[in-house]
Coordinates of all heavy atoms in Angstrom, one line a residue:
N1 N 169.5 84.3 -74.3 CA 170.0 83.7 -75.5 C 171.5 83.8 -75.7 O 172.0 83.7 -76.8 CB 169.3 84.3 -76.7 CG 167.8 84.0 -76.7 OD1 167.3 83.2 -75.9 ND2 167.1 84.6 -77.6
L2 N 172.2 84.1 -74.6 CA 173.7 84.2 -74.7 C 174.3 82.8 -74.5 O 173.8 82.0 -73.8 CB 174.2 85.2 -73.6 CG 173.7 86.6 -73.6 CD1 174.1 87.3 -72.4 CD2 174.2 87.3 -74.8
P3 N 175.4 82.6 -75.1 CA 176.1 81.3 -75.0 C 176.8 81.3 -73.7 O 178.0 81.6 -73.6 CB 177.0 81.3 -76.2 CG 177.3 82.7 -76.5 CD 176.1 83.5 -76.1
L4 N 176.2 80.9 -72.6 CA 176.7 80.9 -71.3 C 177.3 79.5 -71.0 O 176.7 78.5 -71.4 CB 175.7 81.2 -70.2 CG 175.1 82.6 -70.3 CD1 174.1 82.8 -69.3 CD2 176.2 83.7 -70.2
M5 N 178.5 79.5 -70.3 CA 179.1 78.2 -70.0 C 179.1 78.1 -68.5 O 179.1 79.0 -67.7 CB 180.6 78.2 -70.4 CG 180.8 78.2 -71.9 SD 182.5 78.1 -72.4 CE 183.1 79.7 -72.1
N6 N 179.0 76.8 -68.0 CA 179.1 76.6 -66.6 C 180.5 76.7 -66.1 O 181.4 76.9 -66.9 CB 178.4 75.2 -66.2 CG 179.2 74.0 -66.7 OD1 180.4 74.1 -66.8 ND2 178.5 73.0 -67.1
L7 N 180.7 76.6 -64.8 CA 182.1 76.8 -64.3 C 183.1 75.9 -64.9 O 184.2 76.3 -65.3 CB 182.0 76.6 -62.8 CG 183.4 76.7 -62.0 CD1 184.0 78.1 -62.1 CD2 183.2 76.3 -60.6
H8 N 182.8 74.6 -65.0 CA 183.8 73.6 -65.5 C 184.1 73.9 -67.0 O 185.3 73.7 -67.4 CB 183.2 72.2 -65.3 CG 183.1 71.9 -63.8 ND1 184.1 71.9 -62.9 CD2 182.0 71.5 -63.1 CE1 183.6 71.6 -61.7 NE2 182.4 71.4 -61.8
E9 N 183.1 74.3 -67.7 CA 183.4 74.6 -69.2 C 184.3 75.9 -69.3 O 185.2 75.9 -70.1 CB 182.1 74.9 -69.9 CG 181.2 73.6 -70.1 CD 179.8 73.9 -70.5 OE1 179.3 75.0 -70.3 OE2 179.2 73.0 -71.2
R10 N 184.1 76.9 -68.4 CA 184.9 78.0 -68.4 C 186.4 77.7 -68.0 O 187.3 78.2 -68.6 CB 184.4 79.1 -67.5 CG 183.1 79.8 -68.0 CD 182.8 81.1 -67.3 NE 182.7 80.9 -65.9 CZ 181.6 80.7 -65.2 NH1 180.4 80.5 -65.8 NH2 181.6 80.5 -63.9
V11 N 186.5 76.8 -67.0 CA 187.8 76.4 -66.5 C 188.6 75.7 -67.7 O 189.7 75.9 -67.9 CB 187.7 75.6 -65.2 CG1 189.1 74.9 -64.9 CG2 187.3 76.5 -64.1
L12 N 187.9 74.8 -68.3 CA 188.5 74.0 -69.4 C 188.9 75.0 -70.5 O 189.9 74.8 -71.2 CB 187.6 72.9 -69.9 CG 187.3 71.7 -69.0 CD1 186.3 70.8 -69.5 CD2 188.7 71.0 -68.8
S13 N 188.1 76.0 -70.8 CA 188.4 76.9 -71.9 C 189.7 77.7 -71.5 O 190.5 77.9 -72.3 CB 187.3 77.9 -72.1 OG 186.1 77.3 -72.6
V14 N 189.8 78.2 -70.2 CA 191.0 78.9 -69.8 C 192.2 78.0 -69.8 O 193.3 78.4 -70.2 CB 190.7 79.5 -68.4 CG1 192.0 80.1 -67.9 CG2 189.7 80.6 -68.5
L15 N 192.1 76.8 -69.4 CA 193.1 75.8 -69.4 C 193.6 75.5 -70.8 O 194.8 75.1 -71.0 CB 192.8 74.6 -68.6 CG 192.8 74.6 -67.1 CD1 192.2 73.4 -66.5 CD2 194.1 74.9 -66.6
G16 N 192.8 75.7 -71.8 CA 193.1 75.5 -73.1 C 194.1 76.5 -73.7 O 194.7 76.3 -74.8
C17 N 194.2 77.6 -73.0 CA 195.1 78.7 -73.4 C 196.5 78.3 -73.1 O 196.9 77.8 -72.0 CB 194.8 80.0 -72.7 SG 195.8 81.3 -73.1
R18 N 197.5 78.4 -74.1 CA 198.8 77.9 -73.9 C 199.6 78.8 -72.8 O 200.6 78.3 -72.3 CB 199.6 77.9 -75.2 CG 199.9 79.3 -75.7 CD 200.6 79.2 -77.0 NE 200.8 80.5 -77.7 CZ 201.7 80.8 -78.5 NH1 202.5 79.8 -79.0 NH2 201.8 82.0 -79.0
Y19 N 199.1 79.9 -72.4 CA 199.8 80.8 -71.5 C 199.4 80.5 -70.0 O 199.9 81.0 -69.1 CB 199.5 82.3 -71.8 CG 200.0 82.6 -73.2 CD1 199.1 82.9 -74.1 CD2 201.3 82.7 -73.5 CE1 199.5 83.2 -75.4 CE2 201.8 83.0 -74.7 CZ 200.8 83.3 -75.7 OH 201.2 83.6 -77.0
V20 N 198.4 79.6 -69.9 CA 197.8 79.3 -68.5 C 198.3 77.9 -68.1 O 198.2 76.9 -68.8 CB 196.3 79.3 -68.6 CG1 195.7 78.8 -67.3 CG2 195.7 80.6 -69.0
D21 N 198.9 77.9 -66.9 CA 199.4 76.7 -66.3 C 198.4 76.0 -65.4 O 198.3 74.8 -65.4 CB 200.7 76.9 -65.5 CG 201.8 77.4 -66.3 OD1 202.0 76.9 -67.5 OD2 202.6 78.3 -65.9
D22 N 197.6 76.8 -64.7 CA 196.7 76.3 -63.7 C 195.6 77.3 -63.5 O 195.8 78.4 -63.6 CB 197.4 75.9 -62.4 CG 197.1 74.6 -61.8 OD1 196.0 74.1 -62.2 OD2 197.9 74.1 -61.0
V23 N 194.4 76.8 -63.0 CA 193.3 77.6 -62.6 C 192.9 77.2 -61.2 O 192.7 76.0 -61.0 CB 192.1 77.4 -63.6 CG1 190.9 78.2 -63.1 CG2 192.5 77.9 -65.0
L24 N 192.7 78.2 -60.3 CA 192.3 77.9 -59.0 C 190.8 78.1 -58.9 O 190.3 79.2 -59.0 CB 193.1 78.8 -58.0 CG 192.8 78.6 -56.5 CD1 193.1 77.2 -56.1 CD2 193.6 79.6 -55.7
I25 N 190.1 77.0 -58.6 CA 188.6 77.1 -58.5 C 188.2 77.4 -57.1 O 188.8 76.8 -56.2 CB 187.9 75.8 -59.0 CG1 188.2 75.5 -60.5 CG2 186.5 75.8 -58.8 CD1 187.8 74.2 -60.9
D26 N 187.3 78.3 -56.9 CA 186.8 78.6 -55.5 C 187.9 79.2 -54.7 O 188.1 78.9 -53.5 CB 186.2 77.4 -54.9 CG 185.3 77.8 -53.7 OD1 184.8 78.9 -53.7 OD2 185.1 77.0 -52.8
A27 N 188.7 80.1 -55.2 CA 189.8 80.8 -54.5 C 189.2 81.7 -53.5 O 188.1 82.2 -53.6 CB 190.6 81.6 -55.5
P28 N 190.0 81.9 -52.4 CA 189.5 82.9 -51.4 C 189.5 84.3 -51.9 O 190.1 84.6 -52.9 CB 190.6 82.8 -50.3 CG 191.7 82.0 -50.8 CD 191.3 81.3 -52.1
Y29 N 188.7 85.2 -51.3 CA 188.5 86.5 -51.8 C 189.7 87.3 -51.8 O 190.1 88.1 -52.7 CB 187.4 87.2 -51.0 CG 187.0 88.6 -51.6 CD1 186.2 88.7 -52.7 CD2 187.4 89.7 -51.0 CE1 185.9 89.9 -53.3 CE2 187.1 91.0 -51.5 CZ 186.3 91.0 -52.6 OH 186.0 92.3 -53.2
E30 N 190.5 87.2 -50.7 CA 191.7 88.0 -50.6 C 192.9 87.1 -50.9 O 193.0 86.0 -50.4 CB 191.8 88.5 -49.1 CG 193.0 89.4 -48.9 CD 193.1 90.0 -47.5 OE1 192.0 90.0 -46.9 OE2 194.2 90.4 -47.1
I31 N 193.8 87.6 -51.6 CA 195.1 86.9 -52.0 C 196.2 87.3 -51.0 O 196.6 88.4 -50.9 CB 195.5 87.2 -53.4 CG1 194.4 86.8 -54.4 CG2 196.8 86.5 -53.8 CD1 194.6 87.4 -55.8
T32 N 196.6 86.3 -50.2 CA 197.5 86.6 -49.1 C 198.9 86.1 -49.4 O 199.1 85.3 -50.3 CB 197.1 85.9 -47.8 OG1 197.1 84.5 -48.0 CG2 195.7 86.4 -47.4
R33 N 199.9 86.5 -48.6 CA 201.3 86.1 -48.8 C 201.4 84.5 -48.6 O 202.1 83.9 -49.4 CB 202.1 86.7 -47.7 CG 203.6 86.3 -47.7 CD 204.4 86.9 -46.6 NE 204.1 88.3 -46.3 CZ 204.9 89.3 -46.7 NH1 206.0 89.0 -47.3 NH2 204.6 90.5 -46.4
D34 N 200.7 84.0 -47.7 CA 200.7 82.5 -47.5 C 200.1 81.8 -48.6 O 200.7 80.7 -49.0 CB 199.9 82.2 -46.2 CG 200.6 82.7 -44.9 OD1 201.8 82.9 -44.9 OD2 199.8 82.8 -43.9
M35 N 199.1 82.3 -49.2 CA 198.4 81.7 -50.4 C 199.4 81.7 -51.6 O 199.6 80.6 -52.2 CB 197.2 82.4 -50.8 CG 196.4 81.8 -52.0 SD 195.0 82.8 -52.2 CE 194.5 82.3 -53.9
V36 N 200.1 82.8 -51.8 CA 201.0 82.9 -52.9 C 202.2 82.0 -52.7 O 202.6 81.3 -53.7 CB 201.5 84.4 -53.1 CG1 202.7 84.5 -54.0 CG2 200.4 85.3 -53.5
A37 N 202.6 81.9 -51.5 CA 203.8 81.0 -51.2 C 203.4 79.5 -51.3 O 204.1 78.7 -51.9 CB 204.3 81.3 -49.8
S38 N 202.3 79.1 -50.7 CA 201.9 77.7 -50.7 C 201.5 77.2 -52.1 O 201.7 76.0 -52.4 CB 200.8 77.5 -49.7 OG 199.6 78.1 -50.1
L39 N 200.9 78.0 -52.9 CA 200.5 77.6 -54.2 C 201.6 77.9 -55.3 O 201.4 77.7 -56.5 CB 199.2 78.2 -54.6 CG 198.0 77.8 -53.7 CD1 196.8 78.6 -54.1 CD2 197.8 76.3 -53.9
N40 N 202.7 78.5 -54.9 CA 203.7 78.9 -55.8 C 203.2 79.8 -57.0 O 203.5 79.6 -58.1 CB 204.5 77.7 -56.3 CG 205.8 78.1 -57.0 OD1 206.4 79.1 -56.6 ND2 206.3 77.3 -57.9
I41 N 202.4 80.8 -56.6 CA 201.8 81.7 -57.6 C 202.8 82.7 -58.1 O 203.5 83.4 -57.3 CB 200.6 82.5 -57.0 CG1 199.5 81.4 -56.6 CG2 200.0 83.5 -57.9 CD1 198.3 82.0 -55.8
A42 N 203.0 82.8 -59.4 CA 203.9 83.7 -60.0 C 203.3 85.0 -60.5 O 203.9 86.0 -60.7 CB 204.6 83.0 -61.2
E43 N 202.0 84.9 -60.8 CA 201.3 86.1 -61.4 C 199.8 86.1 -61.1 O 199.2 85.0 -61.1 CB 201.5 86.0 -62.9 CG 201.1 87.3 -63.7 CD 201.5 87.2 -65.1 OE1 201.8 86.1 -65.6 OE2 201.5 88.3 -65.7
V44 N 199.3 87.2 -60.7 CA 197.8 87.4 -60.5 C 197.4 88.3 -61.6 O 197.8 89.4 -61.7 CB 197.6 88.0 -59.1 CG1 196.1 88.3 -58.9 CG2 198.1 87.1 -58.0
V45 N 196.4 87.8 -62.4 CA 195.9 88.6 -63.5 C 194.4 88.9 -63.4 O 193.7 88.0 -62.9 CB 196.2 87.8 -64.8 CG1 195.6 88.5 -66.0 CG2 197.6 87.4 -65.0
H46 N 194.0 90.1 -63.8 CA 192.6 90.5 -63.7 C 192.3 91.3 -64.9 O 193.1 92.1 -65.4 CB 192.5 91.4 -62.5 CG 191.0 91.6 -62.0 ND1 190.1 92.2 -62.8 CD2 190.4 91.1 -60.9 CE1 189.0 92.3 -62.2 NE2 189.1 91.6 -61.1
G47 N 191.1 91.1 -65.4 CA 190.6 91.8 -66.6 C 190.2 93.2 -66.2 O 189.9 93.5 -65.0
S48 N 190.3 94.1 -67.2 CA 190.0 95.6 -66.8 C 188.5 95.9 -66.6 O 188.1 96.9 -66.0 CB 190.5 96.5 -67.9 OG 189.9 96.2 -69.2
S49 N 187.6 95.0 -67.1 CA 186.1 95.2 -66.8 C 185.7 94.1 -65.9 O 186.2 93.0 -65.9 CB 185.3 95.2 -68.0 OG 185.3 94.0 -68.7
G50 N 184.7 94.3 -65.1 CA 184.2 93.3 -64.2 C 183.8 93.9 -62.9 O 182.9 94.7 -62.8
D51 N 184.6 93.7 -61.9 CA 184.3 94.2 -60.5 C 185.1 95.4 -60.2 O 185.7 95.5 -59.1 CB 184.5 93.1 -59.5 CG 185.9 92.6 -59.4 OD1 186.7 92.9 -60.3 OD2 186.2 91.8 -58.5
N52 N 185.1 96.4 -61.1 CA 185.7 97.7 -60.8 C 187.1 97.6 -60.4 O 187.5 98.2 -59.4 CB 184.9 98.5 -59.7 CG 183.4 98.7 -60.1 OD1 183.1 98.9 -61.2 ND2 182.6 98.6 -59.1
V53 N 187.9 97.0 -61.2 CA 189.3 96.8 -60.9 C 190.1 98.0 -60.8 O 191.1 98.1 -60.0 CB 190.0 95.8 -62.0 CG1 190.2 96.5 -63.3 CG2 191.3 95.3 -61.5
G54 N 189.7 99.1 -61.4 CA 190.4 100.4 -61.3 C 190.0 101.2 -60.1 O 190.7 102.1 -59.7
D55 N 189.0 100.8 -59.4 CA 188.4 101.5 -58.3 C 189.1 100.9 -57.0 O 188.7 99.9 -56.5 CB 186.9 101.4 -58.2 CG 186.3 102.1 -57.1 OD1 187.0 102.9 -56.4 OD2 185.1 102.0 -56.9
T56 N 190.1 101.6 -56.4 CA 190.8 101.1 -55.3 C 189.9 101.0 -54.1 O 190.1 100.1 -53.2 CB 192.0 102.0 -55.0 OG1 191.6 103.3 -54.8 CG2 193.0 101.9 -56.1
H57 N 188.9 101.8 -54.0 CA 188.0 101.7 -52.8 C 187.2 100.4 -52.8 O 187.1 99.8 -51.8 CB 187.0 102.9 -52.8 CG 186.0 102.8 -51.7 ND1 186.3 103.0 -50.4 CD2 184.7 102.6 -51.7 CE1 185.3 102.8 -49.6 NE2 184.2 102.7 -50.4
S58 N 186.7 99.9 -54.0 CA 185.9 98.7 -54.0 C 186.8 97.5 -53.9 O 186.4 96.4 -53.4 CB 185.1 98.7 -55.3 OG 185.9 98.5 -56.4
E59 N 188.1 97.6 -54.2 CA 189.0 96.5 -54.1 C 189.4 96.2 -52.7 O 189.6 95.0 -52.3 CB 190.3 96.7 -54.9 CG 190.1 96.6 -56.4 CD 191.4 96.9 -57.1 OE1 192.5 96.8 -56.5 OE2 191.4 97.1 -58.3
G60 N 189.5 97.2 -51.9 CA 189.9 97.0 -50.5 C 191.3 96.4 -50.5 O 192.2 96.9 -51.2
N61 N 191.5 95.4 -49.7 CA 192.8 94.8 -49.5 C 192.9 93.5 -50.4 O 193.8 92.7 -50.2 CB 193.0 94.5 -48.1 CG 193.2 95.7 -47.2 OD1 193.7 96.7 -47.8 ND2 192.8 95.6 -46.0
R62 N 191.9 93.3 -51.2 CA 191.8 92.0 -52.0 C 193.1 91.7 -52.8 O 193.6 90.6 -52.8 CB 190.6 92.1 -53.0 CG 190.5 90.9 -53.8 CD 189.3 91.0 -54.7 NE 189.1 89.7 -55.3 CZ 188.1 89.5 -56.2 NH1 187.3 90.4 -56.5 NH2 188.0 88.3 -56.8
Y63 N 193.7 92.7 -53.4 CA 194.9 92.6 -54.2 C 196.1 93.3 -53.6 O 197.1 93.5 -54.3 CB 194.6 93.1 -55.6 CG 193.5 92.4 -56.4 CD1 192.4 93.1 -56.8 CD2 193.6 91.1 -56.7 CE1 191.4 92.4 -57.5 CE2 192.6 90.4 -57.4 CZ 191.5 91.1 -57.8 OH 190.5 90.5 -58.5
Q64 N 196.0 93.6 -52.3 CA 197.0 94.3 -51.7 C 198.4 93.6 -51.8 O 199.4 94.2 -52.2 CB 196.7 94.6 -50.2 CG 197.7 95.4 -49.4 CD 197.7 96.9 -49.9 OE1 196.6 97.4 -50.2 NE2 198.8 97.5 -50.0
Y65 N 198.5 92.3 -51.4 CA 199.7 91.7 -51.4 C 200.3 91.5 -52.8 O 201.5 91.7 -53.1 CB 199.7 90.3 -50.6 CG 201.0 89.6 -50.8 CD1 202.1 90.0 -50.1 CD2 201.2 88.6 -51.7 CE1 203.4 89.5 -50.2 CE2 202.5 88.0 -51.8 CZ 203.5 88.4 -51.0 OH 204.7 87.8 -51.2
P66 N 199.5 91.0 -53.8 CA 200.0 90.9 -55.2 C 200.6 92.2 -55.7 O 201.6 92.2 -56.4 CB 198.8 90.3 -55.9 CG 198.0 89.7 -55.0 CD 198.1 90.5 -53.7
K67 N 199.9 93.3 -55.4 CA 200.3 94.6 -55.9 C 201.7 95.0 -55.2 O 202.6 95.4 -55.9 CB 199.3 95.7 -55.6 CG 198.1 95.6 -56.5 CD 197.1 96.7 -56.2 CE 196.0 96.7 -57.1 NZ 195.0 97.7 -56.8
N68 N 201.8 94.8 -53.9 CA 203.1 95.0 -53.2 C 204.2 94.2 -53.7 O 205.3 94.6 -53.7 CB 202.9 94.9 -51.7 CG 202.0 96.0 -51.1 OD1 201.7 97.0 -51.7 ND2 201.4 95.7 -49.9
A69 N 203.9 92.9 -54.1 CA 204.9 92.0 -54.5 C 205.2 92.1 -56.0 O 206.0 91.4 -56.6 CB 204.4 90.6 -54.2
S70 N 204.5 93.1 -56.7 CA 204.6 93.3 -58.1 C 204.3 92.1 -59.0 O 204.9 91.8 -60.0 CB 206.0 93.8 -58.5 OG 206.3 95.0 -57.8
I71 N 203.3 91.3 -58.6 CA 202.9 90.2 -59.4 C 201.4 90.4 -59.9 O 200.9 89.5 -60.5 CB 203.0 88.8 -58.6 CG1 202.1 88.8 -57.3 CG2 204.5 88.5 -58.3 CD1 202.0 87.5 -56.7
F72 N 200.8 91.5 -59.6 CA 199.5 91.8 -60.1 C 199.5 92.5 -61.4 O 200.2 93.5 -61.6 CB 198.8 92.7 -59.0 CG 197.4 93.1 -59.4 CD1 196.4 92.1 -59.2 CD2 197.1 94.3 -59.9 CE1 195.1 92.4 -59.5 CE2 195.8 94.6 -60.2 CZ 194.8 93.7 -60.1
H73 N 198.7 92.0 -62.3 CA 198.7 92.6 -63.7 C 197.2 92.7 -64.2 O 196.5 91.8 -64.0 CB 199.4 91.8 -64.7 CG 200.9 91.6 -64.3 ND1 201.9 92.5 -64.4 CD2 201.5 90.5 -63.7 CE1 203.0 92.0 -64.0 NE2 202.8 90.8 -63.5
V74 N 196.9 93.9 -64.8 CA 195.6 94.1 -65.3 C 195.7 93.9 -66.9 O 196.6 94.6 -67.5 CB 195.0 95.5 -65.0 CG1 193.7 95.7 -65.7 CG2 194.9 95.6 -63.5
I75 N 194.8 93.2 -67.4 CA 194.7 92.9 -68.9 C 193.5 93.6 -69.4 O 192.4 93.5 -68.9 CB 194.7 91.4 -69.2 CG1 196.0 90.8 -68.8 CG2 194.5 91.2 -70.7 CD1 196.0 89.3 -69.0
A76 N 193.7 94.4 -70.4 CA 192.6 95.1 -71.0 C 191.6 94.2 -71.6 O 191.8 93.3 -72.4 CB 193.1 96.1 -72.1
S77 N 190.3 94.3 -71.1 CA 189.2 93.4 -71.6 C 188.8 93.9 -73.0 O 188.7 95.1 -73.2 CB 188.1 93.5 -70.7 OG 188.4 93.0 -69.4
P78 N 188.6 93.0 -73.9 CA 188.3 93.4 -75.3 C 186.9 94.0 -75.4 O 186.6 94.6 -76.4 CB 188.4 92.0 -76.1 CG 188.2 91.0 -75.1 CD 188.7 91.5 -73.8
S79 N 186.1 93.8 -74.4 CA 184.7 94.3 -74.5 C 184.3 94.8 -73.1 O 184.8 94.3 -72.1 CB 183.8 93.2 -74.9 OG 182.4 93.6 -74.8
E80 N 183.4 95.8 -73.1 CA 182.9 96.3 -71.8 C 181.6 95.7 -71.4 O 180.9 96.1 -70.5 CB 182.7 97.9 -72.0 CG 184.0 98.6 -72.1 CD 184.9 98.5 -70.9 OE1 184.4 98.5 -69.8 OE2 186.1 98.3 -71.2
F81 N 181.2 94.6 -72.1 CA 180.0 93.9 -71.9 C 180.0 93.2 -70.5 O 180.9 92.6 -70.1 CB 179.8 92.8 -72.9 CG 178.5 92.0 -72.7 CD1 177.3 92.5 -73.1 CD2 178.6 90.8 -72.2 CE1 176.1 91.8 -72.9 CE2 177.4 90.0 -72.0 CZ 176.2 90.5 -72.3
N82 N 178.9 93.5 -69.7 CA 178.8 92.8 -68.4 C 177.4 92.3 -68.3 O 176.4 92.9 -68.9 CB 179.0 93.8 -67.3 CG 180.4 94.2 -67.1 OD1 181.3 93.3 -67.1 ND2 180.7 95.5 -67.0
L83 N 177.2 91.3 -67.5 CA 175.8 90.7 -67.3 C 175.3 91.3 -66.0 O 175.9 91.6 -65.1 CB 175.9 89.2 -67.2 CG 176.0 88.5 -68.5 CD1 176.2 86.9 -68.2 CD2 174.9 88.7 -69.4

């Protein structure tokens, strides 16, 4: 009974935010230097709840380049609710 949205509805909701310029659908798991350069990515943002963003072991190298390039930012999630 939760109000769930499909992928396209979520993308449209995010694009409706005035701080968002673009949304990459079906992005690769690891963010590489080539990806950042080719897509002209200025910032990589992740919520604080979800896939254990604070746990460096589970992240592996997924956010390695954005962290080294100082473009990775964690935003505090307003809720700890997960499905």
Side-chain angles (χ1 to χ4, degrees):
N1 295 351
L2 297 172
L4 299 176
M5 295 184 281
N6 65 36
L7 174 66
H8 298 301
E9 291 169 333
R10 287 194 307 265
V11 168
L12 288 173
S13 293
V14 171
L15 285 172
C17 178
R18 68 179 176 162
Y19 303 107
V20 175
D21 295 324
D22 225 341
V23 175
L24 182 60
I25 298 173
D26 199 26
Y29 186 75
E30 184 177 340
I31 301 169
T32 63
R33 177 187 315 258
D34 293 336
M35 179 181 168
V36 170
S38 66
L39 295 173
N40 197 24
I41 296 173
E43 191 171 16
V44 176
V45 180
H46 196 292
S48 62
S49 69
D51 59 349
N52 301 323
V53 71
D55 182 8
T56 55
H57 176 68
S58 68
E59 284 180 19
N61 293 329
R62 181 177 185 181
Y63 299 116
Q64 185 69 38
Y65 178 73
K67 286 179 178 179
N68 291 343
S70 299
I71 60 172
F72 180 77
H73 304 283
V74 177
I75 296 177
S77 297
S79 172
E80 293 298 320
F81 178 78
N82 288 313
L83 287 176

